[in-house]
Each structure stands twice: as C-alpha cells, then as structure tokens.
Amino acid sequence: MAVIESIPNVSEGRRGDVIERLAASIRGTPGVRLLDYSSDPSHNRSVFTLAGDAAPLKVAIEALFEAAVASIDLRVHQGEHPRLGAVDVVPFVPIEGVTMETCVALAAEVGRSIAERFGIPVFLYEEAASHPGRRNLEDIRRGEFEGLAAKMSSPGWAPDFGPAAPHPSAGASVIGARMPLIAYNINLNTDRLDVARKIAAAVRHSTGGLRFVKAMGVKVDERNLAQVSMNLTNYQKTPIFRVFEMVKREAARYGVSILESEVVGLVPSAALIPAAEYYLQLERFGPEQILENKLKADS
Amino acid sequence: MAVIESIPNVSEGRRGDVIERLAASIRGTPGVRLLDYSSDPSHNRSVFTLAGDAAPLKVAIEALFEAAVASIDLRVHQGEHPRLGAVDVVPFVPIEGVTMETCVALAAEVGRSIAERFGIPVFLYEEAASHPGRRNLEDIRRGEFEGLAAKMSSPGWAPDFGPAAPHPSAGASVIGARMPLIAYNINLNTDRLDVARKIAAAVRHSTGGLRFVKAMGVKVDERNLAQVSMNLTNYQKTPIFRVFEMVKREAARYGVSILESEVVGLVPSAALIPAAEYYLQLERFGPEQILENKLKADS
C-alpha cells in the first residue's frame, strides 16, 4: 500500500472546540490516520499530520475543508503567521511506495474538487506548481488574506482552479506536493550568535549555499549557546551528512566545534541511512539489503 | 504483527529436486514468507531465510523437517561444512515487535515438538542454551555427525529434548535464538594480508577485542587487496560504527587507510541508524521520530 503524508495548516489555533471538530473530521475518514496535531495560539494556526493512500486522503482533506469553512472566517481572524485562507496550505508528501508524480496528480485532483465543492480559489505550489513563479509558498502568500482580492485581480494571479476572486470568509487555499521537510538544528560549542549567523549564511541556498537548505542563526537562551536552525527541503538531493560536514567546516573557521545536532519531529529512515553509508564508506549497498524493505517487498 | 526471522541450514546443497522440495515445504505454510534461499554444492548445504509470526514459523519449520528427514541421509552425506544433522541448525531471530524472550520460548517449543514428532535429539544454543557450555554452535557441532553417537554417550552431552542417541539418518539438530548476524567486511587500501590479520586479531572478541565481533584477515585476490572479514553478532551492544572506527584506528598504525566497507546480505535499519546518530552527533533522538515507526505504531 502506498503511504502519502499530508500536513494541512488551518487558520485556527485558539478555539479548542473548533480544533477538535477539525481533528474529528480527519479521524472520521476510513483509511486515514491522524498522526499528530498541534496548535499555536499566537499564530492562531493548527497543523495536522495525516497519512494514507491517495483516495482516502482526498476524502479526509475534503472533510477538513467542510469543517473549516463552516467555522472559520478570515475577516475576523488575527494571528502572527501569514495566511491566505481558512485551510491555508495543504502539501502532499510521498513517503512509501509512491512517486512524487502521484502526489502532484493528487494535489491537482484535490485542488479541482475543493474549488468546485466550496467555491474556493486554489493555487498549486511547489512540485505541483503550474509555473516557476508559483513554486514558493511565500510568493503566493505575500499580501495575505487582506491583500488577496487586489492580488488576484492583478496580472498573473488567476488561481489554478476556482473563482477569480477570494471566497468571502475562507479566502484561498494553496495545495501542492513536496518532499518531506526535515527540521534539523546544529548546536555550536559557543554562545556567539554572530558565528551561527555567518554559518547559516554560508550553508543556505538563498545566500549561495546548498540548494535545499534554509537556515538561520539563533540563540538558545536557556542553554546559552548559538544554533544553526535549518529546514532541509530535499534530503535526497542535499543529504543531512553534507549539511553537517559543511557546518562543521565553517565553524572550524571561527575556532568553534559542533556540540550536537538534533532532528525536530519526524524523519524518514531514508534520510538517515545515507549518513551511515557515507561515514562507514559503504559500497555496493542498496535499499534491498535493508531487512525491513525486503520484508515489505515480499508481503 | 510480530516478525521473527528463521534461517535453517540444511545438509543438502547438490540435489536440485530435493532443494526445491525443501523450499516448497516452507512456501506452502500460510503466514510465512520464504525471503531467500541459496545452496553451496561444495559445502553440500542450503540456507533458507523465512519470516513470520511465531505460530506459522513453527508450522513451516516442522514441514521443513518432514521434507528433509524423508530425503537426506547423513550416513552418505559429504561436504566441506561441519554438520550434525539433516536440518543442521535452526536459529530464530527477533526482527520487529518481538522480544528475544519470545524467540527463546519459540526455540524450546519447536525443539520439543521436533524431538517428539521425528525422534531427533535437539540441542538448544545461543540465547536458548540451557547452560553456558551450549551457547556456541561450534562447541555443540564439534565431532560432527560421524562423532555424534560417541559424544552423546559422554557426560554432559545429553540433548535438551529427544532420544539419548542420534537419529540413524537425520543425526541431531541445533535449535536456538540469537540476534541478527551482520556480515560486514572492511577493505583496506593495501594488499598486505599481514595488516588485515593483525587488525582482525585486535578487533575480534576471541583475541581480546570487541565482545560481539568475529573477524579474520583475508586476501581479495581479484582486487588485490586485503580485507578484514567480520561477523557482528550483536549490533545493539557492539554497534557497526564502533567496529569501523576501531579498524580505521588500527589500520592507521600501519599507515593504511580504509578503502571501503560492505554489508553482505541483509541488515536491519536499526543497525545503521545508530551510525547516523553517532557521526551526526544527534542528541535527544528516539526511534519514535522515525516516520516509518510512527506509521507502524499507529496502524
């Protein structure tokens, strides 16, 4: 069975009864598992993590939209996190036995259906984007709900599906497909924030570094140390070990060493195995040699 | 569902029709998957790899004994590999959602049943051994089939189950439970066999090295290089990365570096993830953060 993950971000992080109704809408779908959900009141936003095959996932996301559209009104929504709509962003992520192409097709299918059922304009993003200017979520979301009507009436911002103007209360939704995102931090053996910032600037894509790394230098006050805080957006093309080694090398330039690293949240084993291969100098090794894969393949 | 692996070694590696009947006896058992089998004519021995839950595995192993006892006569069996019986060795290995204790209990249950059904004496070994002198397979097998009657009539060699003398044609069987065994080789950047032998002596348990390492130095003629060829018998207690680092350090003593390493056959992902953790200096990381585990736990 294929496993696809979806991580819808919904613009409600304060009203507990609404959040529970949203969770219930997902849980009520056979073939879908709600793995996790968490809410941030200051962002006024909740993030749900669900997994399943394509068809049941589509049903669950539609149920989530139904519950969200009934309870959330962007005209009275306030929060720190930028947002365009009630169900703000819906990525589909290939996990197991499924290709990126399948997730791209699923994003388009769900997008078309949401637009038809709810009259909500849908923008496709990342791997599902209809053109390069729509790959980045930040570009689509710029202007937020408050600026959406004006943005959609300007050239180049017709939605991929649905009406040419925002839904009055639910705004618009951004739906797409992407690789699993890994939240990866490296703690330095120093409290110097300037060093963490210089390293972040060296390794991240936006300022000349590795293609699939987003990074910033931050201070971890309670431990009095500086941290390179990163998102790895494609662990296949920019593997963790290469990021680690580059940070280590840049840190050495300032006489600083790595204290430790940490993965925040979930990580596919396929993102860690290559680090074992790299450091153990493993040759002639393939995924079919991993016992769990062999057991799955034969079942 | 629990997954236990069993790797029965059978004293037949030449007669193709017999080997196919043995494989068919395993394949015919519902709930058991035959993952692999291979035969060595000079050893005159076949190794089968099967997986399943405890109850169906017991059925499959009994079916294998039935087929083997009907076709194999140790009185006329010749081959390079030491052996005591028709079904020579049967280890049970905990893979997923199952403890070593369950595998030990399964070994005893299968041993008792085989002794009763076929009149074959059974010795329990490794984790299932009834006393320390029976942990090592080599100690039980010393003297082979030809010396078995004499050995069994000497003090201390009564079987754990079954008659006090060998089965006339099927000899005796050694059944037990053990951790997954990893065949791990490190190729050196030299053709000096003496260096590989010195490193092997340094890292292996028997001559003062790491507790769960068996090692020898060999020459890989077709590539003209020296190799430290190892079996890692408990990857949890003696992890791969520690073996790799020790070999690297010992090699440096002779001015030699590591060219590459290789895993022969299957390896559980749980044996490779700790190498990623070690080299990436990952802290506060647990198996519940691995996405595949999360998906399994919630299913």
Side-chain angles (χ1 to χ4, degrees):
Chain A
M1 198 199 75
V3 179
I4 299 170
E5 194 183 47
S6 183
I7 310 101
N9 287 231
V10 182
S11 297
E12 175 58 65
R14 293 174 187 167
R15 293 175 294 165
D17 58 327
V18 173
I19 295 165
E20 287 312 310
R21 276 207 299 281
L22 298 170
S25 73
I26 295 168
R27 278 206 199 89
T29 309
V32 166
R33 284 165 283 163
L34 178 58
L35 299 176
D36 189 39
Y37 65 111
S38 63
S39 303
D40 186 317
S42 74
H43 286 181
N44 199 4
R45 189 176 181 86
S46 296
V47 178
F48 300 84
T49 305
L50 46 155
D53 210 338
L57 266 189
K58 176 167 183 277
V59 175
I61 294 296
E62 290 179 354
L64 176 68
F65 266 87
E66 188 161 359
V69 171
S71 331
I72 298 170
D73 188 340
L74 267 283
R75 290 167 295 196
V76 297
H77 177 275
Q78 290 192 316
E80 282 172 31
H81 200 288
R83 76 284 179 271
L84 277 188
V87 180
D88 195 48
V89 189
V90 183
F92 293 103
V93 178
I95 300 295
E96 209 175 282
V98 61
T99 62
M100 179 57 82
E101 287 65 40
T102 300
C103 292
V104 167
L106 176 61
E109 194 185 326
V110 170
R112 182 187 307 272
S113 168
I114 293 300
E116 281 174 11
R117 275 189 61 179
F118 301 100
I120 295 173
V122 169
F123 296 90
L124 297 175
Y125 83 120
E126 289 259 357
E127 300 293 322
S130 51
H131 59 85
R134 296 225 177 141
R135 288 188 72 93
N136 280 326
L137 181 58
E138 292 76 10
D139 295 334
I140 301 175
R141 207 155 48 188
R142 194 167 296 121
E144 298 200 41
F145 174 75
E146 288 71 14
L148 184 59
K151 182 173 188 167
M152 288 183 69
S153 62
S154 70
W157 285 105
D160 290 288
F161 302 109
H167 183 285
S169 60
S173 292
V174 187
I175 300 178
R178 60 164 172 80
M179 284 291 289
L181 187 145
I182 299 171
Y184 183 58
N185 300 329
I186 294 182
N187 290 334
L188 303 175
N189 218 342
T190 184
D191 61 355
R192 289 178 56 196
L193 178 58
D194 64 312
V195 171
R197 285 185 170 152
K198 282 178 197 156
I199 295 172
V203 300
R204 74 184 164 222
H205 179 238
S206 65
T207 48
L210 296 164
R211 174 70 185 87
F212 295 102
V213 175
K214 297 176 179 183
M216 58 182 177
V218 299
K219 190 80 182 285
V220 182
D221 285 325
E222 63 274 26
R223 298 183 62 193
N224 198 33
L225 54 79
Q227 178 183 82
V228 184
S229 178
M230 292 174 281
N231 274 323
L232 311 184
T233 58
N234 188 327
Y235 67 80
Q236 289 177 326
K237 292 183 179 161
T238 303
I240 297 181
F241 64 81
R242 198 160 292 144
V243 176
F244 178 86
E245 288 298 324
M246 190 167 171
V247 168
K248 185 156 87 175
R249 187 66 244 150
E250 293 292 324
R253 152 81 182 78
Y254 305 102
V256 168
S257 62
I258 290 180
L259 181 65
E260 61 190 26
S261 77
E262 60 182 2
V263 168
V264 182
L266 297 175
V267 60
S269 69
L272 292 177
I273 300 286
E277 292 180 62
Y278 177 80
Y279 291 108
L280 299 175
Q281 297 175 232
L282 270 180
E283 291 297 330
R284 295 172 294 283
F285 185 77
E288 73 285 355
Q289 286 181 263
I290 296 177
L291 187 60
E292 287 86 346
N293 294 346
K294 181 87 181 164
L295 288 169
K296 263 182 301 207
D298 291 25
S299 64
Chain B
M1 198 199 75
V3 178
I4 299 170
E5 193 184 48
S6 184
I7 311 100
N9 287 231
V10 181
S11 297
E12 175 59 63
R14 292 174 188 167
R15 292 176 294 164
D17 57 327
V18 173
I19 295 165
E20 288 311 309
R21 276 207 299 281
L22 298 169
S25 73
I26 296 168
R27 278 205 200 91
T29 308
V32 165
R33 283 165 284 161
L34 178 59
L35 298 176
D36 189 39
Y37 64 110
S38 62
S39 304
D40 185 319
S42 73
H43 286 182
N44 199 3
R45 188 177 182 87
S46 296
V47 178
F48 300 84
T49 305
L50 46 156
D53 210 339
L57 266 190
K58 177 168 182 278
V59 175
I61 295 295
E62 291 180 354
L64 176 68
F65 266 87
E66 189 162 357
V69 170
S71 330
I72 298 170
D73 188 339
L74 267 285
R75 290 167 294 196
V76 296
H77 177 274
Q78 291 192 315
E80 281 171 31
H81 200 289
R83 76 283 179 273
L84 278 188
V87 180
D88 195 47
V89 189
V90 182
F92 293 103
V93 178
I95 300 296
E96 209 174 283
V98 63
T99 63
M100 180 57 81
E101 288 65 41
T102 300
C103 291
V104 166
L106 177 60
E109 194 186 326
V110 170
R112 184 188 307 274
S113 167
I114 293 301
E116 280 173 11
R117 275 188 61 179
F118 302 100
I120 295 174
V122 169
F123 296 90
L124 297 175
Y125 85 119
E126 289 258 359
E127 300 293 322
S130 50
H131 60 85
R134 296 221 179 145
R135 288 188 71 91
N136 279 326
L137 180 59
E138 292 76 9
D139 295 335
I140 302 175
R141 207 157 49 188
R142 194 167 296 121
E144 297 200 40
F145 173 76
E146 288 70 16
L148 183 59
K151 181 172 188 166
M152 288 184 68
S153 62
S154 69
W157 285 103
D160 289 288
F161 301 109
H167 183 285
S169 60
S173 291
V174 187
I175 299 177
R178 61 165 174 79
M179 286 290 291
L181 188 145
I182 300 170
Y184 183 58
N185 300 330
I186 294 182
N187 290 333
L188 303 175
N189 217 341
T190 183
D191 61 355
R192 289 178 56 194
L193 178 58
D194 65 311
V195 170
R197 285 186 170 151
K198 282 178 197 155
I199 295 172
V203 300
R204 74 184 164 220
H205 179 239
S206 65
T207 49
L210 296 163
R211 174 69 185 87
F212 295 102
V213 175
K214 297 177 180 182
M216 58 182 178
V218 299
K219 191 80 181 287
V220 182
D221 284 326
E222 63 274 26
R223 298 182 62 195
N224 197 33
L225 54 80
Q227 177 184 83
V228 184
S229 177
M230 293 175 281
N231 274 323
L232 311 184
T233 58
N234 187 326
Y235 66 79
Q236 288 178 326
K237 292 181 179 163
T238 303
I240 297 181
F241 64 80
R242 199 160 290 143
V243 176
F244 178 85
E245 288 298 325
M246 191 167 170
V247 168
K248 185 156 86 174
R249 187 67 242 149
E250 293 292 323
R253 152 80 182 82
Y254 304 101
V256 168
S257 62
I258 290 181
L259 180 65
E260 61 190 25
S261 77
E262 59 182 2
V263 168
V264 182
L266 297 175
V267 60
S269 69
L272 291 177
I273 300 287
E277 292 181 60
Y278 178 81
Y279 291 107
L280 298 174
Q281 298 174 234
L282 270 181
E283 291 298 330
R284 297 172 293 284
F285 186 78
E288 74 284 356
Q289 286 182 263
I290 295 176
L291 186 62
E292 288 86 345
N293 295 346
K294 181 86 182 165
L295 288 170
K296 264 184 298 209
D298 292 24
S299 66

